Amino acid sequence: MSKKTRVLILTGSANDAPKLSGAREVLDELGIPFRFHVASAHRTPERAVRLVEEAERQGVQVFIACAGMANHLAGAVAAHTVLPVIGVPLSGNAMGGLDALLSTVQMPPGIPVATVAVGGARNAGILAAQILATMDATLKRKLRAMRRKMKRKVEATDGKIGI
Amino acid sequence: MSKKTRVLILTGSANDAPKLSGAREVLDELGIPFRFHVASAHRTPERAVRLVEEAERQGVQVFIACAGMANHLAGAVAAHTVLPVIGVPLSGNAMGGLDALLSTVQMPPGIPVATVAVGGARNAGILAAQILATMDATLKRKLRAMRRKMKRKVEATDGKIGI
Amino acid sequence: MSKKTRVLILTGSANDAPKLSGAREVLDELGIPFRFHVASAHRTPERAVRLVEEAERQGVQVFIACAGMANHLAGAVAAHTVLPVIGVPLSGNAMGGLDALLSTVQMPPGIPVATVAVGGARNAGILAAQILATMDATLKRKLRAMRRKMKRKVEATDGKIGI
Amino acid sequence: MSKKTRVLILTGSANDAPKLSGAREVLDELGIPFRFHVASAHRTPERAVRLVEEAERQGVQVFIACAGMANHLAGAVAAHTVLPVIGVPLSGNAMGGLDALLSTVQMPPGIPVATVAVGGARNAGILAAQILATMDATLKRKLRAMRRKMKRKVEATDGKIGI
Amino acid sequence: MSKKTRVLILTGSANDAPKLSGAREVLDELGIPFRFHVASAHRTPERAVRLVEEAERQGVQVFIACAGMANHLAGAVAAHTVLPVIGVPLSGNAMGGLDALLSTVQMPPGIPVATVAVGGARNAGILAAQILATMDATLKRKLRAMRRKMKRKVEATDGKIGI
Amino acid sequence: MSKKTRVLILTGSANDAPKLSGAREVLDELGIPFRFHVASAHRTPERAVRLVEEAERQGVQVFIACAGMANHLAGAVAAHTVLPVIGVPLSGNAMGGLDALLSTVQMPPGIPVATVAVGGARNAGILAAQILATMDATLKRKLRAMRRKMKRKVEATDGKIGI
Amino acid sequence: MSKKTRVLILTGSANDAPKLSGAREVLDELGIPFRFHVASAHRTPERAVRLVEEAERQGVQVFIACAGMANHLAGAVAAHTVLPVIGVPLSGNAMGGLDALLSTVQMPPGIPVATVAVGGARNAGILAAQILATMDATLKRKLRAMRRKMKRKVEATDGKIGI
Amino acid sequence: MSKKTRVLILTGSANDAPKLSGAREVLDELGIPFRFHVASAHRTPERAVRLVEEAERQGVQVFIACAGMANHLAGAVAAHTVLPVIGVPLSGNAMGGLDALLSTVQMPPGIPVATVAVGGARNAGILAAQILATMDATLKRKLRAMRRKMKRKVEATDGKIGI
């Protein structure tokens, strides 16, 4: 696997950056090079488009777009690429993330967004890796190892935890 | 009031056109010139932006953007103009329009969308007229006349209707 | 632009005043004269109507009405004017603002309320300015400048923020 | 019990009249004189207030207010009387009546609306009768008879119905 | 007005007692004698029925029943009396009171519960007073005085509060 | 297995009877004797209690209670027995059964209701059988056979169905 | 009653263990032997199946499965046994447990899960006991005693608590 | 691109097959070989696992799992593979698909499901193609051609459609 950026993570607001550490952790752990940018579908629409188009030219293969409220970022990214776009709805207001979830997942026919759970940055990172692993045997092995580690962790907990 | 187009109505899908007749009726009734285009935030994003920018250059003063599901059209229009953008969430799937409502109204700080009720095309037309009427005494008089007519209609119904 | 009040902000409860600072900030920043009053659709209905009618006579051009729970203030204001009324649903109870949102936005045909996001006071201020700017080139320039500033702020953040 | 109107039923739209037959039936059955008017909180606000104030002067004792969407009629009536106001949220759009329910029931402190189920016109009629019966022994007997009849009807059904 | 208890307040759980102070305050302020009991529709169903029947024999005229979650208390009380029953849905879990609201208000035809807002104990007290005032001119005057006081309080706030 | 009734099915309204055929079918198929009665928690509360207490004396082991709207029947049954009570929320109004689901499942601590899906009468029958099978090896075998048949049916479908 | 484990409690995540103390308390109080394991439907699916199958062979009679978010654990357990499976939806994210509730209760025909309230671990324990008590007179007596104690506690509170 | 199956489509119930035609159409149009099977996470859990494991051995690269209600199929598939799993929530009951959406998307950390809109079978097909296209230039060209065709279709509609 080259050092070329394979995943571009975009978020609509700098305030949301701390909610995305899960994606960073899992991509680092799997050795997948990624870049992170703040770009808003509403406040910097041209910039968001430009980042997507540049990234695609430079060989980025998967996008992760995160935003709260009426989360249009993932949809806006998806409208400008045929690469897979993963959407992460973010909670943070009184709506419990339902607004962001529906705004991310309910895309019209033609332009899908691969939506994960509200606040599911870590799963977005894993899903990006799974997509890349469809044709990358080494990465697939790493994902399987991570899965086994996760299983062992659950099993190790058992017996030590009471209710 | 000149014949120049003052309101641009955009909808995300041709299928939604019949749901917008309420806007047409009220704008025709008030003598406000408008144009209608099909443009999708996701399927034709550049076209949507181009229509907005052209319209603004040609003197359009208010936008009405309608779409169902994850309704990003109104937000996408709002991101490319500082003119008022009225959003009409459309129902049509099993979600009852809640997805379209939240996707339209829950805009992040900086880029408002003036949202009306689910399926509220007629109110979108009236709101557009109200905005134009803030500095148009003739139009204001027409709106007041329309309001009085509406009142009389309610009053005329009363006494003829039983339960 | 004269010093005459152009925007009237009404709120249903004095307790909600701190939630409206976003509207004040943006109107001050754009140099739009506004007034603020506490008036409840339910506890002081006549007073709410009187404030609306007086304001309209004195040349106010846009109303912003804020309230939580079964937010009827915006609707009550809209029923007494043909000027544009912006509704701000306020959260503050266990319902997450869904009650206020639906009570504000789901207006029946004939009387629209231009609804912004739950807690969206800042966007209400911007929307008011956008409405006024439809025929005010200076204000339009200020809105564009504000928009550019917002873009630059997002761009400046980028690169300094990591995840 | 005199022939004087004791209950005033108001509805926001003539279209809703058929949904209110349950209230008429039960008030007729119990011999409670009532009047019915169409009056909208938004389209005919002054008329709604006038009907309430006239009714109160003429000795009406309970109000029933019905409306769909952002149902402000019950709240508007309640704001102009200290008599009990019963609110009937009406369904009829894709929201399943949730908008009307929250707009009716989530009244702020000081101005209650006695809300019944979505579409609960019959229960509104019964509740009006129960309120009047607090000091009317004859009416209380009639309500108890109605309750017994209802019980017998359930019991009579049993045994004849299979699954 | 005699010293005889006119309102019986029931709550499903002792933990909810602090949420009911609003009802006490308003009944005390209006000089309406009331009693308060803890009685659960599920844990002490016979006791709940017995309290209702005893209260009715002793001349209680209105019931207020409060409970959270699947709030059956108001419905259970309503099933055993033809007197008006006011239901107060209580919040307190992650559902934001929506469970309690629907469990209280969505009563089947025949047995209404006069439902107030989630957490609306004060409004339940006022509604009880309004019901009693339908045939009590003194109480009606007190309610009007309370309403005026409330108006004056809103008006007094105005001008002192800024945003 | 004796011919003694082991399951009592109660429904709040005769209108709901057709929605319960799934429970009958599965109990018949498994040879579990059951009885069916119409009994409302609100319209015939004493009767509901009497049916529960009689049934318990006669050896009934499981209750199935079905009702729509503010479904209190299951809770009312559960309040009068320590036998397992299965609740079936029924849809039928504009709320999509959410009201019945929350009213059935959100029981307070101490009095559980074993809730199945909205409209899940067949699953209620199976759950009743599973409860009885905890100490009935013959019934457990029948349940396993039914499960295998269900599996084979899914497998048999596969290959014959295309998309 | 033997010392053999009769109830198996499974939870999807060790973090949820503290939310299950209510189940432990009630099973201990009733002298019902139980075991507790951490097993995830998604992270350790084979392990979850193996624990269920082993438990069934060893004579476990009831399962309690707890999990948050898209709670598949109860359904996964139910798919591998014909013994009764009690599902406990757990809250813990911004969705208020609605996701876990719907994921637990809305099971397709054929595989029921006996769902209790969000966070209803104590009720899950009681329901397990009720199921076991259908053929265990001693346990039924204990459940009745617990019920009486609960009643007395409510009654004892009354009179000491004011509002 | 070889003729080897690259996408496996699974659905929980044969009844849902007609809702999946959108996925078939798009995969056929793009020349992506796929297979379709009926397999239920609850009724045929082992079979679902076996189909997934066999498919993975045979070189399938993406899974599409569709199901309504408490949609566990996508999660169950995801638990047994590190390949990308696309989940399609299906509507079909009174809940409007909200149950299926939350059950599909709200996966716990570690096991993502790439969720598309309720009823979004066509988008699931497109997303599968996008994933495969990350390393397949021919497929990427086809996707771009499809996108252009879609754009032209929207543009061609415009001007022919009125409101």
Side-chain angles (χ1 to χ4, degrees), chain E residues 39-50:
Chain E
S40 163
H42 298 117
R43 283 172 283 197
T44 61
E46 295 86 0
R47 177 178 157 76
V49 171
R50 201 178 57 237

Side-chain angles (χ1 to χ4, degrees), chain D residues 91 93 95-98 101 117-118 147 150-152 154-155 157-159 161-163, chain F residues 9 14 17 20-21 24 34 36-40 42-47 69 94-95:
Chain D
S91 179
N93 62 359
M95 285 272 161
L98 186 65
L101 172 57
V118 175
R147 191 70 70 95
M150 198 165 67
K151 286 188 188 189
R152 280 195 301 268
V154 172
E155 288 162 4
T157 310
D158 194 27
I161 297 274
I163 55 172
Chain F
I9 303 177
L20 309 184
S21 54
R24 174 183 47 73
F34 70 95
F36 165 72
H37 284 295
V38 181
S40 163
H42 299 115
R43 283 172 282 197
T44 61
E46 295 85 2
R47 178 179 156 75
M69 300 186 76
M95 284 272 161

Side-chain angles (χ1 to χ4, degrees), chain E residues 133-151:
Chain E
T134 51
M135 297 197 200
D136 180 336
T138 310
L139 188 49
K140 206 181 282 180
R141 269 195 300 276
K142 286 187 189 178
L143 279 165
R144 286 195 183 118
M146 183 187 267
R147 190 71 68 97
R148 280 192 301 271
K149 200 173 136 192
M150 198 165 67
K151 286 190 190 189

Side-chain angles (χ1 to χ4, degrees), chain F residues 65-102:
Chain F
C66 317
M69 300 186 76
N71 181 350
H72 297 188
L73 184 60
V77 171
H80 288 88
T81 182
V82 296
L83 290 170
V85 177
I86 300 170
V88 186
L90 297 178
S91 179
N93 61 358
M95 284 272 161
L98 187 65
D99 49 0
L101 172 57
L102 295 179

Side-chain angles (χ1 to χ4, degrees), chain E residues 14 24 37-38 43 47, chain G residues 91 150-151 155 157-158 163:
Chain E
R24 173 181 48 73
H37 284 294
V38 181
R43 283 172 283 197
R47 177 178 157 76
Chain G
S91 178
M150 199 164 67
K151 285 191 189 188
E155 289 162 4
T157 309
D158 195 27
I163 55 173

Side-chain angles (χ1 to χ4, degrees), chain G residues 83-147:
Chain G
L83 289 171
V85 178
I86 299 169
V88 186
L90 296 179
S91 178
N93 62 358
M95 284 272 161
L98 186 64
D99 48 0
L101 173 58
L102 295 178
S103 299
T104 304
V105 78
Q106 287 294 87
M107 290 290 291
I111 314 284
V113 165
T115 306
V116 295
V118 176
R122 184 175 172 86
N123 270 2
I126 297 175
L127 181 55
Q130 290 179 327
I131 289 169
L132 296 175
T134 51
M135 297 197 200
D136 181 336
T138 310
L139 188 50
K140 206 181 281 180
R141 269 195 299 277
K142 285 187 188 177
L143 278 165
R144 285 197 183 117
M146 183 186 267
R147 190 71 69 97

Side-chain angles (χ1 to χ4, degrees), chain B residues 14 24 37-38 43 47, chain H residues 91 150-151 155 157-158 163:
Chain B
R24 174 182 48 73
H37 284 294
V38 180
R43 282 172 284 196
R47 177 179 158 76
Chain H
S91 180
M150 200 165 66
K151 285 189 188 188
E155 288 162 4
T157 309
D158 194 26
I163 54 173

